[in-house]
Amino acid sequence: MAIRRSVFPGYLSSLFHSSKVISCGTLLPLQSSASFSTHHFVGDTPILVRDFIHAALYDPKHGYFSQRSRSVGVLESSINFNKLGGQKAYMQLLDKVYKQNEVSWFTPAELFKPWYAHGIAESILRTANLSVPLKIYEIGGGSGTCAKGIMDYLKLNAPTRVYNSLTYISIEISSSLAKKQMETVGAVQSHLSRFRVECRDAANRSGWGEADQQPCWVIMLEVLDNLPHDIIYSRDQFSPWMEVWVEKQAERSELCELYKPVEDQLISSCMEILDLEKESDGRTSASLVRNVWAKVFPKPRRCWLPTGCLKLLEVLHGALPKMSLIASDFSYLPDVTVPGERAPLVSSKRDGKSFDHKSYMDAKGDADIFFPTDFWLLERMDHHCSGWLKPDQDKSSKKGKKRRTLTLDFVTTHCQVHD
């Protein structure tokens, strides 16, 4: 895996994609407005799909991550890739590593340490405004491997004044991982005065305090895939979209979906960014053709919307208006059986083997729910939250700073670059 360096223009930040075999989720739940009284996470009143997913993953007592204290793996030493004979040898080694460690996943920063973190650090050095103190936020930092790798690289390669004025802040929801990060980074004594962990939810705006007007970097590695999503549904190609809720069937423990007119603000915003409302208004010639076709061959539609990601981006742009963003995640998931565009994999482990579910409602604290990231949509949401791209906005109204984007493709990784 090559270190990403000279491809980054001086005015841009970067977004990395990574493949399934080396990527996995990071703990970053959104706050839920619902209260869950049973292990099924659904009480007497219906809840939005994103609230069900949030509870299934992050409920303090019954959520998937709460029940798995050893989810994030840590390698004792770096893999010596020079001794591997190619991709097949790497996959065999990876299989052996997972069996030996009995953990849910290893992050790319762990499997490719220190090079993965060094590549990120180099891209920051090449693009940051070094006339001001360098400040880096990492959201969901796992075991602290990436933070230590970046700080190691800056200590050895950045101008002394840059390292001396560095501030590295980890925003971590898990208290156990926060402790682990301090131990990992603290292996280098000089890092400790420049590093701190804030144990809180990054998607809660109140935790950020007043907006920081200084340039900074935000790193999110394997965060987006476990952020809650919503579903919209229509019974055919020309019927209006409906937002999906989850409810418990009367006198039964089974869950079912309930469809309501779209009223939720996050869902409406996602649809606006995707132009889904225009798509079904029936006024364009293309819509008229689709409507005729739909009447002959009616087909239900389901679409997953990354409302959790939109909420997080809204908070980040509000708290850190001059941020540059680095994020790594799945851009594609194979063999997805859950229906709908951008649908997740819902996977459980039984006797050391993975088992994929056909419905997200099968996840009751015993299954991971992780989504592919639509990086085209991520770009539009980023631009929207920055104030630069506002659908149907008055052209004369004031916009935020333009966010410029560059997309790079590799065999196992893609890179999408934002300013």
Side-chain angles (χ1 to χ4, degrees):
M1 181 176 180
I3 300 175
R4 306 151 185 82
R5 291 197 277 196
S6 59
V7 294
F8 298 100
Y11 54 84
L12 299 176
S13 62
S14 47
L15 278 167
F16 299 95
H17 305 223
S18 49
S19 62
K20 181 182 178 185
V21 295
I22 61 172
S23 288
C24 30
T26 305
L27 310 183
L28 183 72
L30 294 176
Q31 284 190 322
S32 172
S33 59
S35 175
F36 305 97
S37 58
T38 73
H39 69 283
H40 292 295
F41 313 121
V42 181
D44 296 329
T45 58
I47 60 174
L48 284 165
V49 171
R50 69 170 179 263
D51 289 325
F52 173 81
I53 291 175
H54 173 274
L57 291 176
Y58 305 110
D59 182 82
K61 292 184 179 180
H62 305 293
Y64 175 77
F65 291 117
S66 302
Q67 299 183 59
R68 283 152 179 79
S69 60
R70 296 187 67 250
S71 294
V72 182
V74 178
L75 294 176
E76 293 184 2
S77 59
S78 301
I79 296 174
N80 189 341
F81 288 95
N82 289 329
K83 292 185 177 181
L84 297 180
Q87 183 177 7
K88 182 178 180 180
Y90 166 69
M91 296 302 295
Q92 291 173 342
L93 175 62
L94 194 63
D95 182 62
K96 180 180 178 181
V97 167
Y98 268 94
K99 289 179 178 178
Q100 289 177 340
N101 287 272
E102 296 182 354
V103 296
S104 295
W105 65 72
F106 288 93
T107 65
E110 190 69 37
L111 292 173
F112 297 101
K113 66 180 180 184
W115 316 116
Y116 196 90
H118 286 187
I120 294 174
E122 173 66 12
S123 70
I124 291 175
L125 277 182
R126 286 177 176 265
T127 58
N129 177 7
L130 299 181
S131 65
V132 297
L134 181 60
K135 179 180 285 188
I136 300 172
Y137 293 91
E138 184 176 3
I139 298 174
S143 62
T145 297
C146 183
K148 181 180 181 299
I150 289 175
M151 297 184 77
D152 286 348
Y153 189 89
L154 295 176
K155 180 179 173 66
L156 293 173
N157 296 280
T160 302
R161 62 177 177 81
V162 173
Y163 177 75
N164 287 342
S165 63
L166 170 68
T167 302
Y168 198 115
I169 304 168
S170 173
I171 313 298
E172 178 56 61
I173 194 71
S174 167
S175 58
S176 60
L177 287 175
K179 181 180 178 181
K180 179 61 180 176
Q181 289 171 27
M182 290 299 299
E183 294 173 354
T184 301
V185 175
V188 178
Q189 185 64 32
S190 64
H191 291 346
L192 286 176
S193 62
R194 298 162 175 83
F195 178 81
R196 73 173 185 265
V197 181
E198 296 180 4
C199 196
R200 60 181 174 87
D201 179 0
N204 185 342
R205 179 62 181 88
S206 64
W208 291 92
E210 295 294 326
D212 185 350
Q213 298 296 332
Q214 293 299 313
C216 65
W217 291 77
V218 175
I219 300 173
M220 298 191 299
L221 307 182
E222 290 66 62
V223 167
L224 301 174
D225 59 79
N226 280 135
L227 289 179
H229 284 51
D230 275 292
I231 304 175
I232 53 175
Y233 167 85
S234 68
R235 64 176 180 268
D236 52 46
Q237 297 95 313
F238 62 92
S239 295
W241 288 103
M242 310 280 282
E243 60 187 34
V244 180
W245 294 62
V246 180
E247 67 175 351
K248 189 182 299 182
Q249 294 183 7
E251 300 180 357
R252 299 179 65 183
S253 61
E254 284 82 2
L255 302 176
C256 63
E257 291 184 341
L258 175 67
Y259 309 115
K260 299 182 180 183
V262 174
E263 295 182 349
D264 180 77
Q265 184 57 51
L266 282 174
I267 293 176
S268 296
S269 295
C270 267
M271 293 179 64
E272 190 178 20
I273 293 169
L274 279 167
D275 288 333
L276 289 176
E277 291 172 328
K278 290 182 179 179
E279 173 188 302
S280 58
D281 64 8
R283 288 178 289 183
T284 66
S285 58
S287 295
L288 291 173
V289 172
R290 282 197 300 268
N291 289 353
V292 172
W293 184 262
K295 290 177 181 178
V296 179
F297 301 101
K299 182 180 180 181
R301 296 183 296 170
R302 294 173 68 86
C303 182
W304 289 84
L305 301 178
T307 47
C309 177
L310 179 60
K311 173 62 176 177
L312 179 58
L313 288 174
E314 287 179 348
V315 168
L316 290 175
H317 278 287
L320 308 170
K322 294 185 178 180
M323 74 165 182
S324 295
L325 178 66
I326 300 175
S328 167
D329 234 303
F330 306 102
S331 56
Y332 168 77
L333 296 173
D335 305 321
V336 175
T337 57
V338 177
E341 186 178 358
R342 290 181 293 272
L345 275 176
V346 182
S347 181
S348 299
K349 267 193 173 181
R350 299 175 184 173
D351 301 323
K353 296 182 179 180
S354 294
F355 173 79
D356 292 343
H357 299 271
K358 294 184 178 181
S359 171
Y360 68 94
M361 289 185 288
D362 292 338
K364 298 179 175 64
D366 60 345
D368 194 3
I369 307 172
F370 50 104
F371 296 83
T373 296
D374 183 336
F375 279 80
W376 171 84
L377 177 54
L378 178 63
E379 175 192 340
R380 290 182 63 86
M381 290 192 298
D382 175 79
H383 291 179
H384 174 85
C385 294
S386 72
W388 178 55
L389 173 64
K390 294 289 186 183
D392 299 325
Q393 186 183 47
D394 181 358
K395 300 300 182 181
S396 64
S397 62
K398 184 178 180 180
K399 291 186 177 183
K401 180 183 177 182
K402 184 175 181 179
R403 306 278 288 179
R404 289 174 286 189
T405 303
L406 174 67
T407 301
L408 305 174
D409 296 322
F410 303 95
V411 176
T412 59
T413 62
H414 301 156
C415 175
Q416 189 179 78
V417 183
H418 286 268
D419 180 13

